C-alpha cells in the first residue's frame, strides 16, 4: 500500500457536520494550555468528538482530550483512559456517542491520522476528523473536517479522507455564553476587567521588589570587588533583611513542612473514604429496596387471592 494512497484527500460525498461552540472552545483551551507548557513552542493535541449521527448529518456537541503515547514516532491512544471518559460522558449524555476525533495541523491528513483512525474505528464505523489550524488567517481554514472511508484499490483496502463541509450550530444559551466570553475578552484587552487592577498592582509590587533586590546584590558584588567603599549602615541593613528570611534547609522547617503535607494528605484520604462509604451505603440501600419489592408483590397477590376466595365462598 503506498503512503500517498493511504491518506489521500478526495471530494466530499455530501456529509454535513454541525459543530457547537463548546467544541471549539475546548480545543482552543487545550491547545493554549499545551503550548504554554512547552514555552510557546508548537505542540500536537488529540481528542475525541462527542455527538450524534443522523443519516448523512453529524452533530458534534462536546469533546474531551485524549492521552496519546509516542512509539517510534507514531501515536497510540490510551484505550483505558478513552473508555473511562467515554463511560463518564455517557452517564450524563445518554444519547451521545463518539463520532470522531480532532487534532492540530494545517496539512492534509497523513499517516499519523491514518494510524489514529485504525485505533478509533471500533468506537465508530465512520469517524470524522477535525483538524484545528492555529495558523490560519481565515475562519474557513481554521477548522477542516474530513470523512474517513475505506476503498479497494489495487486489490487491497485503502484509507482515504474526504473533505466535507461544516457549520457552527449554536443554541440560544450557547450564543449568550459565547457573547459573554467575547465581551469579557474585549474588556480585558481594554484594561476594564475587574481582575486586571489587583493583578497589575501585585505585578508592579513584585517587579519593584525584584529591582531593589538586584540593586542590593549589585552593590554587595561591587563592594566585594573593591570598586565601591563599604557603607556599614547599608551592610547592616542588608544583613538584617537577610536574617528575616526563613532558613529553608533547616531540619525543623523540613519536619514541619512534612507534617503539614501529611496532615493534608490524611484529610484528603479521610474525605475520600467518607465519600466511598456514603456511596456504598446508598448502593446497599438500593439493593435492599430491589429485594424487598418482589416480596411485597408476592404478599399483595396472596392477599388478593384470599379476598377472592372468601368472596366465592
Amino acid at each position: 500500500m503506498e503512503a500517498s494512497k493511504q491518506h489521500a484527500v478526495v471530494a466530499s460525498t455530501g456529509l454535513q457536520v454541525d459543530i457547537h461552540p463548546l467544541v471549539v472552545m475546548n480545543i482552543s483551551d487545550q491547545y493554549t494550555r499545551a503550548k504554554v507548557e512547552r514555552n510557546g513552542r508548537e505542540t500536537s493535541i488529540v481528542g475525541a468528538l462527542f455527538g450524534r449521527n443522523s443519516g448523512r448529518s453529524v452533530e458534534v456537541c462536546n469533546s474531551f482530550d485524549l492521552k496519546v503515547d509516542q512509539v517510534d514516532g507514531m501515536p497510540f491512544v490510551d484505550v483505558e483512559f478513552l473508555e473511562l471518559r467515554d463511560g463518564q460522558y455517557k452517564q450524563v449524555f445518554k444519547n451521545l456517542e463518539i463520532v470522531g476525533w480532532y487534532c492540530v495541523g494545517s496539512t492534509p491528513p497523513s499517516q499519523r491520522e491514518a494510524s489514529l483512525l485504525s485505533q478509533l474505528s471500533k468506537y465508530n464505523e465512520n469517524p470524522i476528523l477535525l483538524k484545528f489550524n492555529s495558523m490560519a488567517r481565515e475562519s474557513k481554514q481554521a477548522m477542516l473536517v474530513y470523512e474517513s472511508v475505506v476503498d479497494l484499490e489495487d486489490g487491497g483496502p485503502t484509507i482515504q479522507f474526504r473533505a466535507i463541509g461544516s457549520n457552527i450550530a449554536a443554541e440560544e444559551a450557547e450564543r449568550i455564553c459565547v457573547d459573554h466570553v467575547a465581551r469579557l475578552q474585549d474588556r480585558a484587552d481594554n484594561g476594564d476587567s475587574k481582575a486586571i487592577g489587583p493583578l497589575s498592582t501585585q505585578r508592579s509590587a513584585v517587579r519593584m521588589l525584584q529591582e531593589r533586590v538586584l540593586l542590593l546584590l549589585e552593590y554587595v558584588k561591587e563592594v566585594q570587588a573593591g570598586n565601591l567603599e563599604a557603607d556599614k549602615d547599608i551592610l547592616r541593613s542588608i544583613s538584617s533583611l537577610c536574617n528575616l528570611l526563613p532558613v529553608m534547609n533547616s531540619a525543623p522547617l523540613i519536619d514541619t513542612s512534612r507534617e503539614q503535607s501529611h496532615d493534608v494528605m490524611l484529610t484528603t484520604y479521610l474525605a475520600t473514604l467518607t465519600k466511598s462509604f456514603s456511596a456504598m451505603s446508598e448502593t446497599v440501600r438500593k439493593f435492599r429496596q430491589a429485594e424487598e419489592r418482589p416480596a411485597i408483590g408476592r404478599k399483595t397477590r396472596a392477599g388478593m387471592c384470599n379476598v377472592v376466595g372468601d368472596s366465592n365462598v
Side-chain angles (χ1 to χ4, degrees), residues 231-255:
D231 189 323
K232 295 183 179 181
D233 292 336
I234 296 178
L235 293 178
R236 279 196 294 268
S237 299
I238 295 175
S239 177
S240 301
L241 180 63
C242 293
N243 292 332
L244 295 177
L245 300 177
V247 182
M248 302 302 296
N249 295 326
S250 63
L253 180 61
I254 294 176
D255 294 338

Side-chain angles (χ1 to χ4, degrees), residues 198-257:
L199 291 178
S200 299
T201 303
Q202 294 179 6
R203 182 171 179 268
S204 301
V206 172
R207 178 180 295 177
M208 182 179 296
L209 176 62
Q210 183 184 14
E211 293 176 354
R212 298 293 177 86
V213 171
L214 292 177
L215 180 61
L216 293 177
L217 180 61
E218 290 295 329
Y219 173 77
V220 173
K221 288 182 178 180
E222 292 294 328
V223 171
Q224 290 178 344
N227 298 327
L228 291 178
E229 183 179 356
D231 189 323
K232 295 183 179 181
D233 292 336
I234 296 178
L235 293 178
R236 279 196 294 268
S237 299
I238 295 175
S239 177
S240 301
L241 180 63
C242 293
N243 292 332
L244 295 177
L245 300 177
V247 182
M248 302 302 296
N249 295 326
S250 63
L253 180 61
I254 294 176
D255 294 338
T256 302
S257 301

Side-chain angles (χ1 to χ4, degrees), residues 13-31:
T13 57
L15 182 65
Q16 181 62 36
V17 178
D18 294 328
I19 304 174
H20 286 254
L22 179 60
V23 178
V24 181
M25 296 175 66
N26 287 342
I27 298 175
S28 178
D29 177 70
Q30 181 188 356
Y31 177 75

Side-chain angles (χ1 to χ4, degrees), residues 16 24 58-59 71 99 130 135 173 210 239 249-250 268 309-310:
Q16 181 62 36
V24 181
V58 179
E59 183 181 6
V71 179
V99 296
L130 172 61
M135 305 301 293
Q210 183 184 14
S239 177
N249 295 326
S250 63
T268 305
D310 296 340

Side-chain angles (χ1 to χ4, degrees), residues 288-307:
R288 288 180 178 177
Q289 290 181 351
E291 292 177 354
E292 291 175 356
R293 287 177 181 174
I296 296 175
R298 288 194 296 269
K299 292 180 181 180
T300 304
R301 289 194 296 271
M304 294 178 63
C305 292
N306 293 334
V307 174

Side-chain angles (χ1 to χ4, degrees), residues 122-142:
K122 70 175 184 178
Y123 302 100
N124 192 295
E125 295 181 356
N126 186 24
I128 63 172
L129 167 62
L130 172 61
K131 296 205 69 172
F132 182 76
N133 183 7
S134 61
M135 305 301 293
R137 297 183 179 181
E138 298 181 1
S139 58
K140 294 182 179 180
Q141 301 296 328

Side-chain angles (χ1 to χ4, degrees), residues 20-72:
H20 286 254
L22 179 60
V23 178
V24 181
M25 296 175 66
N26 287 342
I27 298 175
S28 178
D29 177 70
Q30 181 188 356
Y31 177 75
T32 303
R33 287 186 286 106
K35 193 171 182 179
V36 170
E37 292 175 357
R38 293 176 58 87
N39 297 325
R41 297 191 303 269
E42 286 297 324
T43 182
S44 61
I45 60 173
V46 178
L49 300 176
F50 221 62
R52 58 175 68 92
N53 281 314
S54 179
R56 297 297 297 170
S57 177
V58 179
E59 183 181 6
V60 185
C61 303
N62 208 335
S63 65
F64 58 85
D65 55 302
L66 296 177
K67 293 183 178 180
V68 178
D69 299 324
Q70 299 291 334
V71 179
D72 296 332

